[in-house]
């Protein structure tokens, strides 16, 4: 065993940490610090590569070594450094991102046996690097880092991670749509937890903290993205990114408005509703998918998200929403008439019918008596 390539890699990485066995008999984390150097990075890279081996024995050994190492001081920073290194092969970077996410999932919050075994100093360094890394890495890696960031945020945001939101908001000012989408994905993953939670002072304090910082730049971004639609009407690549960002903004809108109607959103309801109505009415063949494609495309997904938002307002904030009701009934009916019976349209059909059903059951049901409404 000591002559195997895996054992050599383990020895380079953690020195005397494992001694003469791979069993879980690790020394306390404070006794071993994994420095970021070429030897440790090479050993980590080799071990991650072996976790992708088709040979189950090689794969099991590599996984066992990494599990033994994951609680050591500096290990997470070492993994993040490897992930951020562009010269590392993509499969290894992705494997490193999966390892990082799973380590965070297992150990960040602790368990029934006690608090987290990760050092607080390591946690702080990780939090300081996560946003930059997520926004600069390839899509497959970004997906894993984003999930890890969401886990960390669930545990630490906002009390133990007050810098997260300002850092995200700063990046919303980027001219790069991919960066903006990455920021919005992160925000959505955090804010969606506000849906369906029981009301509490703690929850409302957190939502207010978010709103105070996020609501204004969110609206400005929403309006800026709407203004990019017509100039890029013939550019499928740019238009797709614009609508992916708008989809995330629609989902964030839903999350931030679910518990109660924030004052800012009430004051700026017309700006949002005008934008939502525009999106419901918008048509562009470039954003539709082929008939045999199971994905409805980003335009249809945005329209479904808009229907969810207006249904939320109709059900919970009926009085404030009343003045916008009729044009949305007409537009939603038009969306339904334009769809076929393909399974990929199930979601938009369901959300549109839910909205019209909510209106029909409300005190404003007489809107349907007006022939022009449909």
């Amino acid at each position: 065993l000591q002559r195997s390539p895996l054992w050599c890699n383990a020895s380079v990485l953690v020195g005397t940490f494992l001694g003469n066995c791979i069993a879980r008999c690790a020394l306390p984390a404070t006794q071993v610090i994994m420095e970021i150097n070429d030897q440790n990075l090479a050993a980590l890279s080799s071990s991650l590569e072996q976790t992708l081996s088709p040979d189950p024995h090689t794969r099991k050994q590599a996984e066992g070594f990494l599990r033994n190492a994951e609680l050591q001081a500096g290990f997470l920073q070492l993994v993040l450094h490897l992930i951020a290194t562009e010269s590392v092969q993509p499969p290894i970077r992705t494997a490193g991102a999966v390892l990082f996410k799973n380590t965070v999932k297992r150990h960040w919050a602790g368990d029934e046996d006690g608090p987290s075994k990760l050092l607080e100093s390591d946690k702080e360094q990780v939090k300081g690097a996560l946003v930059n890394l997520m926004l600069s890495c390839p899509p497959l890696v970004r997906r894993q880092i984003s999930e890890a960031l969401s886990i960390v945020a669930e545990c630490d945001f906002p009390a133990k991670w007050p810098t997260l939101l300002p850092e995200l908001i700063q990046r919303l000012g980027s001219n790069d749509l991919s960066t903006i989408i990455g920021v919005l994905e992160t925000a959505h993953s955090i804010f969606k937890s506000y849906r369906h939670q029981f009301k509490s002072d703690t929850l409302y304090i957190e939502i207010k903290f978010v709103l105070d910082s996020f609501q204004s730049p969110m609206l400005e971004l929403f309006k800026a993205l709407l203004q990019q639609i017509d100039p890029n009407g013939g550019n499928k690549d740019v238009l797709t990114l614009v609508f992916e960002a708008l989809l995330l903004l629609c989902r964030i809108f839903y999350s931030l408005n679910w518990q109660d109607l924030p004052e800012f959103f009430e004051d700026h309801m017309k700006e949002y509703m005008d934008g939502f109505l525009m999106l419901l009415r918008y048509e562009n063949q470039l954003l539709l998918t082929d008939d045999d494609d199971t994905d409805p495309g980003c335009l249809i997904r945005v329209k479904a998200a808009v229907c969810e938002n207006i249904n939320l307002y109709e059900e919970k904030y009926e009085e404030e929403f009343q003045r916008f009701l009729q044009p949305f009934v007409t537009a939603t009916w038009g969306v339904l008439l334009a769809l076929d019976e393909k399974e990929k349209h199930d979601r938009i059909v369901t959300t549109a019918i839910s909205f019209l059903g909510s209106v029909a059951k409300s005190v404003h049901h007489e809107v349907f008596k007006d022939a022009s409404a449909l």
Side-chain angles (χ1 to χ4, degrees):
L1 177 61
Q2 291 180 358
R3 295 176 182 174
S4 70
L6 176 63
W7 181 261
C8 293
N9 291 338
S11 298
V12 169
L13 183 57
V14 295
T16 59
F17 163 48
L18 294 179
N20 294 317
C21 65
I22 291 183
R24 289 177 174 272
C25 54
L27 295 173
T30 54
Q31 295 186 26
V32 178
I33 298 178
M34 294 188 181
E35 297 179 355
I36 299 175
N37 57 45
D38 291 342
Q39 283 187 324
N40 286 347
L41 287 169
L44 176 60
S45 178
S46 179
S47 297
L48 287 168
E49 184 177 13
Q50 291 179 41
T51 65
L52 305 175
S53 170
D55 176 53
H57 179 68
T58 299
R59 192 168 62 247
K60 185 176 180 180
Q61 279 192 315
E63 291 169 351
F65 155 65
L66 292 170
R67 285 294 295 269
N68 276 318
E70 63 189 14
L71 288 176
Q72 298 309 297
F75 178 74
L76 288 179
Q77 293 94 307
L78 184 70
V79 176
L80 289 181
H81 190 89
L82 181 136
I83 295 169
T85 304
E86 294 184 2
S87 60
V88 174
Q89 292 297 313
I92 296 176
R93 293 179 76 183
T94 303
V98 172
L99 170 66
F100 176 79
K101 179 193 72 175
N102 290 338
T103 303
V104 166
K105 186 182 295 185
R106 281 192 291 267
H107 299 298
W108 196 274
D111 52 33
E112 63 275 7
D113 295 328
S116 173
K117 297 175 183 175
L118 297 171
L119 295 179
E120 287 301 320
S121 58
D122 282 1
K123 285 185 171 185
E124 291 303 314
Q125 291 187 49
V126 165
K127 287 187 287 189
L130 270 183
V131 173
N132 280 338
L133 175 61
M134 184 195 67
L135 297 177
S136 62
C137 57
L140 288 177
V141 176
R142 174 182 291 181
R143 189 173 298 117
Q144 302 299 326
I145 299 301
S146 179
E147 288 184 34
L149 192 152
S150 299
I151 296 168
V152 174
E154 184 179 355
C155 297
D156 289 8
F157 179 81
K160 294 182 179 180
W161 201 357
T163 60
L164 174 60
L165 196 56
E167 190 172 0
L168 293 176
I169 292 170
Q170 182 182 7
R171 298 305 187 94
L172 282 181
S174 171
N175 292 322
D176 179 49
L177 284 169
S178 295
T179 297
I180 291 172
I181 289 171
V183 170
L184 294 177
E185 285 174 341
T186 302
H188 170 54
S189 70
I190 298 170
F191 302 157
K192 69 181 179 181
S193 66
Y194 303 151
R195 306 178 185 186
H196 315 297
Q197 284 193 40
F198 290 113
K199 294 183 178 181
S200 68
D201 290 344
T202 301
L203 175 63
Y204 274 55
I205 289 171
E206 180 174 332
I207 293 176
K208 185 180 185 306
F209 172 81
V210 168
L211 288 170
D212 287 346
S213 301
F214 198 79
Q215 58 194 8
S216 292
M218 174 182 169
L219 176 59
E220 292 307 311
L221 177 61
F222 181 70
K223 293 190 293 186
L225 289 170
L226 292 176
Q227 292 172 0
Q228 290 191 42
I229 292 176
D230 286 342
N232 292 290
N235 189 328
K236 182 178 180 179
D237 291 339
V238 173
L239 200 61
T240 298
L241 290 175
V242 169
F243 271 80
E244 291 293 347
L246 284 167
L247 175 61
L248 289 162
L249 281 173
C250 286
R251 290 174 173 168
I252 291 171
F253 179 96
Y254 189 91
S255 298
L256 295 181
N257 283 267
W258 199 93
Q259 289 287 339
D260 203 349
L261 177 57
E263 181 179 352
F264 181 90
F265 283 87
E266 184 175 359
D267 292 343
H268 295 273
M269 191 179 297
K270 186 179 188 307
E271 291 158 277
Y272 273 112
M273 295 306 151
D274 286 351
F276 289 160
L277 192 60
M278 171 188 164
L279 292 172
L280 273 184
R281 292 171 172 170
Y282 185 74
E283 298 294 339
N284 191 318
Q285 291 295 319
L286 291 177
L287 298 180
L288 301 180
T289 55
D290 295 335
D291 288 343
D292 58 352
D293 197 328
T294 57
D295 176 16
C298 57
L299 176 58
I300 296 299
R301 290 200 301 273
V302 166
K303 292 186 178 189
V306 167
C307 287
E308 289 179 339
N309 287 340
I310 59 177
N311 190 41
L312 175 71
Y313 266 49
E314 171 60 20
E315 290 185 340
K316 300 189 71 169
Y317 316 121
E318 187 176 0
E319 182 178 347
E320 294 85 355
F321 181 61
Q322 179 182 357
R323 69 185 190 273
F324 303 102
L325 186 59
Q326 183 157 338
F328 275 112
V329 169
T330 304
T332 303
W333 184 252
V335 168
L336 285 173
L337 291 179
L339 296 172
D340 55 33
E341 298 180 358
K342 291 185 174 61
E343 184 177 347
K344 66 181 179 180
H345 294 142
D346 284 356
R347 182 171 180 82
I348 177 61
V349 170
T350 301
T351 55
I353 291 176
S354 293
F355 168 65
L356 295 176
S358 296
V359 176
K361 291 183 290 186
S362 74
V363 296
H364 304 117
H365 59 86
E366 295 200 359
V367 69
F368 291 106
K369 291 183 179 180
D370 184 352
S372 65
L374 301 180

